Amino acid sequence: MPKYFDFKVCGYYLYFTAHCIVECMHVHASDSKLTEGGSAKFFVKSDGESVLQHRGSLSEREVRIIQRFIKENYREMYLSWSAMSSQGFYGDEQ
């Protein structure tokens, strides 16, 4: 599973899976297990804003911190995403 970064943000790895590249850009947030089942899922818009689809085990505070991190780093994260997926940002689907 490709991680966007090798470090954790607010105690969670940010990643995507090879199975989910058929969807628009999104970010899973999970602890060391890196499983979709317990992870949070954020769809990312072209301006860096994100929409929380699944909360997983994240608190409201953790959600806000991760959303802020995504907003500040979405361009760099998109480079990793677009290397494996032809799908664009959330809301830009054709």
Side-chain angles (χ1 to χ4, degrees), residues 25-45:
M25 186 191 172
H26 60 275
V27 176
H28 289 281
S30 184
D31 58 14
S32 61
K33 293 185 173 71
L34 298 181
T35 59
E36 283 191 61
S39 71
K41 185 175 184 180
F42 301 85
F43 281 106
V44 182
K45 297 180 181 183

Side-chain angles (χ1 to χ4, degrees), residues 5 9 12 17 22 25 36 41 53 55 65 77 82:
F5 301 99
V9 176
Y12 299 91
T17 70
V22 298
M25 186 191 172
E36 283 191 61
K41 185 175 184 180
Q53 183 185 37
R55 177 177 297 281
I65 291 169
M77 296 168 80
S82 63

Side-chain angles (χ1 to χ4, degrees), residues 2-33:
K3 293 179 193 168
Y4 287 106
F5 301 99
D6 289 332
F7 55 86
K8 290 182 177 182
V9 176
C10 200
Y12 299 91
Y13 286 111
L14 305 181
Y15 68 96
F16 59 96
T17 70
H19 298 289
C20 65
I21 59 173
V22 298
E23 296 179 306
C24 58
M25 186 191 172
H26 60 275
V27 176
H28 289 281
S30 184
D31 58 14
S32 61
K33 293 185 173 71

Side-chain angles (χ1 to χ4, degrees), residues 48 67-75:
Q67 284 182 309
R68 188 175 335 122
F69 182 87
I70 291 170
K71 174 86 173 166
E72 293 170 357
N73 296 281
Y74 77 99
R75 288 182 183 99

